[in-house]
Amino acid sequence: MNGLWISTLALLRGRSDEEAMSRVKAYDDHEEFAWLLKKWQEPIRRLCTRLTGDAGQGEDLKQETFLRLFRNRRQYERSAKFSTFLWRIALNLCRDEFRRQERQRQFLSPPLDAREAEGSEGAEAVWEAPGPDSNAVSAEEGALVRKALLELPEIYREVIVLRHYQDLKLGEIAEVLGIPEGTVNSRMADALTRLGRALKPKLRPSLARAAQPGKSPKSLLCYESSKT
Amino acid sequence: MNHPKPEEWVPYLYGESRPEVARELAAHLESCLQCREQLAGWRASVKRLDNWKLPRTGRADVMGVSVLRWAVATLVLLLAGFAVGRLTGPAVDTESLRSSIEPELRRQLTEELTSVVRAQVKEAAESTLHTAAREAEAIAAAYVRGLQAQRAEDRRAVETALARLETERLTDLATLKQELDTLAVNTDAGLRQTTAGLVELAHYRTVARGSEPE
Ligand SMILES: [Zn+2]
């Protein structure tokens, strides 16, 4: 609904994102910048949240993205698509953030289990709060998907997030990432294969042996990410 | 059998392949169990992605957190600048203050902020500035902690900063406000946000003071 409102507004204003950004570039136009911010902050927040798996970080990176957009306004070329320019800024920031975290992990490297337990609290903010008609199972499932995505190498996570959650066409993803469309496609195929493997529930042999009929099957399942 | 490559299936999976290609691939699927299974596996993965939901919107206040951060950053730097200004000359050099503050406002780097405060403080005479330096550093430290932790921490950092300000002897708020107005007029969107944040802070401060027994 918000999106509709904004596109209606854009029609009334008769100005595209590209025109708005050009005005920001040429005149430091605050109003145009505020308009772009209003329109794009939510998609950018969601992208950053998906890529980092953390709502707080998604918010921070969103803010950083717009700061950088303004700082880099002179680099914007009128002929380029505004959204591509913006997605790229956000993606680069997410990559930097992810690399920083990786380095930190390598230095500190707490045992994996401890990290997961720790992460679960932060992750909670990312899930939609279970409403009256949704249930805990879907939240659990959401957490599994989030975890599986975070464990994918960056290049796979990016194509999945851009296609599936940001609804970019494969061609647009190629443009944003600056790679051939064929590469996007093969990355996507790999990504989906890896994701499928990571999400495949596996029966832990020891538990399977101890399995008794009538017991909750949930406790017997352990979702293991495949080591590839 | 000659199976299409995985990357050929991807546009088909997302309904983005050209019609003639789509027809060929569909025909292949009819006769190839192996590819059918592969595609079904991918579809299942795609479907499961839907289960990770995000709340519809982010925080209610658009740039709330950064406003707070910038506001605190500005306060910290202003305090340091104020102390320096007071000792080195009758008037605070707004332009140089602004130029030293502005780059920092554009970043979120916590350590850098602390070091800037330190550097500014170092410039001035050691003995007289010692107290002010410690105060500024304490606020910077609170700010740093706020950045590292989440929102609640942010607020606490602001509260710490405010509490310190209350007891600070640099209470010349009118001048401070004037400085901030000048800052705001002189700079761009980022600093506009800061002004908003400072107005918010000033309000917060008034409220906090009002609720305190005199
Ligand atoms: Zn086949």
Side-chain angles (χ1 to χ4, degrees):
Chain A
M1 217 149 62
N2 200 28
L4 184 69
W5 181 81
I6 282 168
S7 44
T8 311
L9 201 70
L11 274 178
L12 287 173
R13 289 168 77 257
R15 193 170 291 155
S16 66
D17 290 351
E18 286 72 21
E19 283 163 332
M21 189 60 206
S22 296
R23 287 189 58 83
V24 172
K25 177 185 176 176
Y27 313 111
D28 293 355
D29 194 318
H30 293 134
E31 273 175 38
E32 296 295 332
F33 186 73
W35 183 76
L36 286 169
L37 175 81
K38 224 172 248 158
K39 178 175 174 184
W40 283 96
Q41 62 173 344
E42 188 55 15
I44 293 297
R45 183 189 69 83
R46 297 178 85 86
L47 173 80
C48 297
T49 303
R50 298 287 189 191
L51 285 174
T52 59
D54 182 275
Q57 241 166 35
E59 179 70 29
D60 288 352
L61 286 167
K62 175 202 85 182
Q63 291 178 9
E64 189 62 37
T65 300
F66 284 98
L67 285 182
R68 199 168 279 197
L69 173 68
F70 194 77
R71 205 188 302 149
N72 295 353
R73 62 195 180 278
R74 310 267 183 255
Q75 288 163 28
Y76 175 72
E77 296 294 336
R78 176 68 178 82
S79 54
K81 223 169 134 187
F82 170 76
S83 59
T84 305
F85 188 70
L86 185 64
W87 289 128
R88 279 188 185 162
I89 294 176
L91 271 171
N92 282 329
L93 285 170
C94 289
R95 285 173 184 172
D96 291 348
E97 176 59 27
F98 213 76
R99 251 155 248 165
R100 198 184 60 76
Q101 279 178 19
E102 282 299 302
R103 275 198 302 276
Q104 237 171 32
R105 253 172 234 162
Q106 276 164 16
F107 273 120
L108 305 172
S109 71
L112 194 73
D113 289 344
R115 241 168 41 212
E116 275 159 21
E118 205 182 320
S120 63
E121 201 188 320
E124 215 152 345
V126 174
W127 310 333
E128 212 160 54
D133 42 10
S134 75
N135 50 34
V137 175
S138 70
E140 200 175 302
E141 168 75 7
L144 285 172
V145 172
R146 170 183 166 277
K147 184 170 168 288
L149 272 177
L150 280 178
E151 281 172 1
L152 285 183
E154 218 168 36
I155 56 166
Y156 301 122
R157 188 167 58 251
E158 283 174 356
V159 290
I160 287 193
V161 168
L162 287 171
R163 180 63 190 84
H164 195 81
Y165 297 114
Q166 303 299 139
D167 219 19
L168 265 63
K169 297 263 174 276
L170 296 162
E172 291 173 319
I173 296 174
E175 202 184 316
V176 169
L177 295 178
I179 55 176
E181 204 170 329
T183 312
V184 172
N185 295 345
S186 57
R187 266 187 205 177
M188 184 68 87
D190 272 353
L192 290 175
T193 305
R194 283 165 182 254
L195 192 70
R197 237 182 281 151
L199 286 172
K200 189 176 277 174
K202 284 176 187 155
L203 219 49
R204 221 182 262 163
S206 57
L207 286 172
R209 233 179 291 125
Q212 300 291 329
K215 277 197 176 172
S216 160
K218 222 167 86 179
S219 63
L220 301 173
L221 287 178
C222 89
Y223 293 83
E224 282 173 8
S225 59
S226 50
K227 311 271 181 291
T228 43
Chain B
M1 195 181 281
N2 223 352
H3 305 289
K5 292 199 212 87
E7 57 263 40
E8 293 176 64
W9 284 117
V10 169
Y12 180 81
L13 177 72
Y14 288 107
E16 291 180 33
S17 47
R18 280 174 289 126
E20 65 271 24
V21 178
R23 267 196 302 276
E24 273 174 38
L25 291 170
H28 178 87
L29 273 189
E30 288 284 311
S31 59
C32 179
L33 176 68
Q34 196 183 323
C35 285
R36 251 195 334 264
E37 279 177 345
Q38 184 176 53
L39 211 64
W42 286 339
R43 285 213 167 103
S45 295
V46 165
K47 201 153 179 282
R48 289 188 71 178
L49 287 170
D50 287 335
N51 290 313
W52 180 19
K53 296 188 171 65
L54 295 187
R56 265 191 94 83
T57 51
R59 291 165 200 168
D61 50 341
V62 173
M63 297 287 262
V65 169
S66 75
V67 164
L68 280 179
R69 284 176 184 176
W70 288 348
V72 176
T74 313
L75 278 176
V76 168
L77 289 166
L78 275 177
L79 271 183
F82 244 98
V84 175
R86 280 283 164 85
L87 289 162
T88 52
V92 177
D93 181 354
T94 315
E95 193 49 40
S96 71
L97 239 185
R98 190 183 71 82
S99 60
S100 70
I101 292 169
E102 192 173 339
E104 288 314 306
L105 290 176
R106 305 235 167 282
R107 313 168 120 219
Q108 284 190 326
L109 298 181
T110 53
E111 290 90 346
E112 262 191 42
L113 180 66
T114 318
S115 71
V116 164
V117 174
R118 281 209 192 97
Q120 286 208 357
V121 166
K122 225 179 249 171
E123 276 170 24
E126 274 186 343
S127 55
T128 25
L129 267 180
H130 230 79
T131 326
R134 269 209 303 275
E135 305 267 358
E137 279 194 342
I139 296 173
Y143 168 68
V144 167
R145 279 197 301 278
L147 276 188
Q148 281 161 350
Q150 289 291 330
R151 281 157 273 169
E153 286 288 359
D154 267 350
R155 193 154 279 281
R156 216 170 299 149
V158 173
E159 280 163 12
T160 312
L162 287 171
R164 281 181 187 279
L165 277 174
E166 285 298 331
T167 52
E168 251 294 340
R169 61 208 174 297
L170 301 171
T171 47
D172 197 350
L173 255 189
T175 323
L176 181 61
K177 194 175 172 299
Q178 205 183 329
E179 290 297 325
L180 296 171
D181 287 346
T182 319
L183 272 179
V185 171
N186 284 348
T187 51
D188 52 33
L191 285 169
R192 283 191 176 201
Q193 295 279 358
T194 311
T195 324
L198 286 160
V199 170
E200 204 178 294
L201 271 182
H203 173 71
Y204 187 80
R205 189 183 150 83
T206 318
V207 173
R209 195 197 281 144
S211 65
E212 254 172 34
E214 292 284 305

